[in-house]
Amino acid sequence: MPLSSKFDGLELPASADCHVHLRDGEMMKTVVPTIRAGGVNTVYVMPNLVPPLTSASDALAYKDRLRQQDPSVNYLMTLYLHETITPAVIKEAKAQGIIGVKSYPAGVTTNSSSGVISYEPFYPVFSAMEQCGMVLNLHGECPSDHSKNITILNGESKFLPTLKSLHAKFPKLKIVLEHCTTKEAVEAVKACGDNVVGTITAHHLYLTVDDWADDPFSYCKPVAKWPIDREALVEAALSGTGKFFLGSDSAPHDLSAKKGGRGKTAAGVFTQPYVTQLVLNAFELAIERKVISANAVTPEILEGFLGGYGRKFYGVSDSSGERIVLRKGEEIVKDSFTGEGVEVIPFRRGQGTWSVEWKGKQ
């Protein structure tokens, strides 16, 4: 039975997107109102603003700005791993409700110039996080280094020994390998203990390196890889183990930054307004490619991947009790989203997609 027949009208808990970029200023005002359009009411917010969020007070002030745009969304806040982060900062952040700390290797993605060069200086910080129950979110790539034959195509694979080393040194530390893009990453997460999980984006369920290379609105980091990697991500998303869940890495950039002509094209794919819907479309395409069968996509697995597994890992509940209803109709992805001085082009613009409707507390 096709998913359009099987799931049209399916009711699920609201989705939780465990990796979002909501920016600040006018871009924030444009993007935050699209969260619920994607069937989401809980978001795990990345801290790579300019300047980055390196204290609880910074993160909470940002949360206030986000809540001014939409107070109905549950914003889970993080800090940016930086030389100013100490065990004392970690303890204070935990006491004030900050959930995790995001690590960016220096220079690998948007606003990562203040990122990590070596992890060893942060071992006391990781120990404090392990003790108090904060989560370490890893952008799992090594920076390009041609002397070591490392590029954006194998940076994730080259990082995996670091993931395994951190897990071995801090076995009780909860670690997320963010936006997995390779079969190797999937296997590495599987091989680690229960405290290590991985997020999977909607767009990496679609893209291969061919798609990534010729469309600025599919240009992202980590880069999309080979077809075998895409299919491994699809299978991991449907594994039902709880080791993998949705983290969209939705990353809006103004059209001017994506068109090129003034330096490098900005890396990031904007999926926020359709993130739940896009996952359904991706599974449909995987069925067409005969990677999976329609029977592999069950309501229970959808509920887990779209929010249940992520909420369980982070220890958060959805007290709102809100539900969404999936619909397979005639909706088309909008060509753009605009704000004051801002225009953002969404992933798969102009193409058909599923729809979501909201229901109140049951």
Side-chain angles (χ1 to χ4, degrees):
M1 181 185 296
L3 299 192
S4 57
S5 300
K6 188 174 171 182
F7 293 145
D8 188 15
L10 178 66
E11 185 177 317
L12 294 171
S15 297
D17 187 345
C18 292
H19 185 132
V20 302
H21 296 274
L22 301 177
R23 309 304 192 208
D24 213 345
E26 293 305 321
M27 182 63 81
M28 173 188 68
K29 294 176 183 178
T30 303
V31 170
V32 170
T34 72
I35 293 172
R36 291 179 65 88
V40 172
N41 72 356
T42 301
V43 290
Y44 194 80
V45 183
M46 295 297 107
N48 58 329
L49 303 183
V50 180
L53 305 176
T54 56
S55 70
S57 59
D58 289 342
L60 294 176
Y62 182 39
K63 183 176 183 177
D64 285 344
R65 297 196 295 278
L66 296 170
R67 285 184 56 79
Q68 287 173 20
Q69 304 307 311
D70 189 344
S72 71
V73 174
N74 184 17
Y75 304 96
L76 308 178
M77 306 307 293
T78 61
L79 300 184
Y80 186 110
L81 189 62
H82 183 266
E83 61 185 8
T84 58
I85 301 287
T86 64
V89 170
I90 293 298
K91 292 175 184 176
E92 177 187 359
K94 175 66 175 180
Q96 296 194 51
I98 307 303
I99 305 294
V101 177
K102 177 68 184 294
S103 165
Y104 293 90
V108 298
T109 191
T110 303
N111 297 342
S112 64
S113 59
S114 301
V116 174
I117 297 173
S118 170
Y119 286 91
E120 288 188 17
F122 294 102
Y123 283 178
V125 171
F126 298 156
S127 179
M129 292 172 64
E130 187 178 42
Q131 291 170 21
C132 72
M134 286 186 74
V135 177
L136 176 62
N137 303 92
L138 295 173
H139 181 121
E141 289 187 290
C142 290
S144 292
D145 184 340
H146 292 184
S147 69
K148 298 178 180 177
N149 202 37
I150 300 174
T151 73
I152 56 175
L153 287 173
N154 64 359
E156 180 175 273
S157 297
K158 294 292 186 181
F159 180 84
L160 297 176
T162 299
L163 168 68
K164 294 174 182 177
S165 174
L166 290 173
H167 180 46
K169 286 183 171 66
F170 305 98
K172 296 181 180 179
L173 177 62
K174 299 182 83 170
I175 300 175
V176 183
L177 184 64
E178 298 289 348
H179 39 54
C180 299
T181 65
T182 59
K183 183 176 181 180
E184 292 169 278
V186 168
E187 294 304 320
V189 170
K190 287 180 180 178
C192 292
D194 292 344
N195 284 337
V196 177
V197 299
T199 57
I200 296 175
T201 76
H203 56 278
H204 284 116
L205 296 174
Y206 289 84
L207 299 175
T208 66
V209 66
D210 291 337
D211 308 306
W212 171 88
D214 67 1
D215 178 3
F217 303 109
S218 294
Y219 179 72
C220 56
K221 291 184 179 178
V223 307
K225 306 300 194 306
W226 316 120
I228 193 173
D229 296 306
R230 177 186 61 188
E231 314 312 16
L233 297 177
V234 170
E235 291 172 353
L238 294 171
S239 63
T241 64
K243 292 279 277 183
F244 299 94
F245 47 81
L246 175 65
S248 72
D249 193 22
S250 178
H253 291 280
D254 185 66
L255 177 60
S256 62
K258 296 295 280 183
K259 289 173 68 174
R262 302 183 214 172
K264 293 185 176 181
T265 299
V269 174
F270 182 51
T271 55
Q272 203 71 69
Y274 301 98
V275 66
T276 297
Q277 302 93 307
L278 286 168
V279 170
L280 269 293
N281 287 122
F283 291 154
E284 286 184 309
L285 292 173
I287 292 168
E288 291 179 13
R289 296 193 303 270
K290 302 188 184 306
V291 176
I292 57 171
S293 70
N295 291 335
V297 189
T298 68
E300 294 76 19
I301 284 177
L302 277 181
E303 181 175 335
F305 179 74
L306 291 172
Y309 301 148
R311 287 188 176 99
K312 181 178 179 181
F313 181 80
Y314 283 110
V316 298
S317 60
D318 183 9
S319 59
S320 74
E322 290 182 308
R323 313 277 291 180
I324 57 173
V325 180
L326 305 180
R327 299 292 185 192
K328 183 66 171 180
E330 304 296 323
E331 185 164 359
I332 302 295
V333 175
K334 288 177 60 174
D335 286 334
S336 70
F337 290 79
T338 58
E340 186 172 341
V342 172
E343 182 176 9
V344 188
I345 308 300
F347 184 58
R348 290 176 61 82
R349 64 201 181 282
Q351 299 191 48
T353 186
W354 286 68
S355 301
V356 297
E357 300 172 357
W358 283 89
K359 291 187 69 174
K361 187 171 183 177
Q362 299 299 295

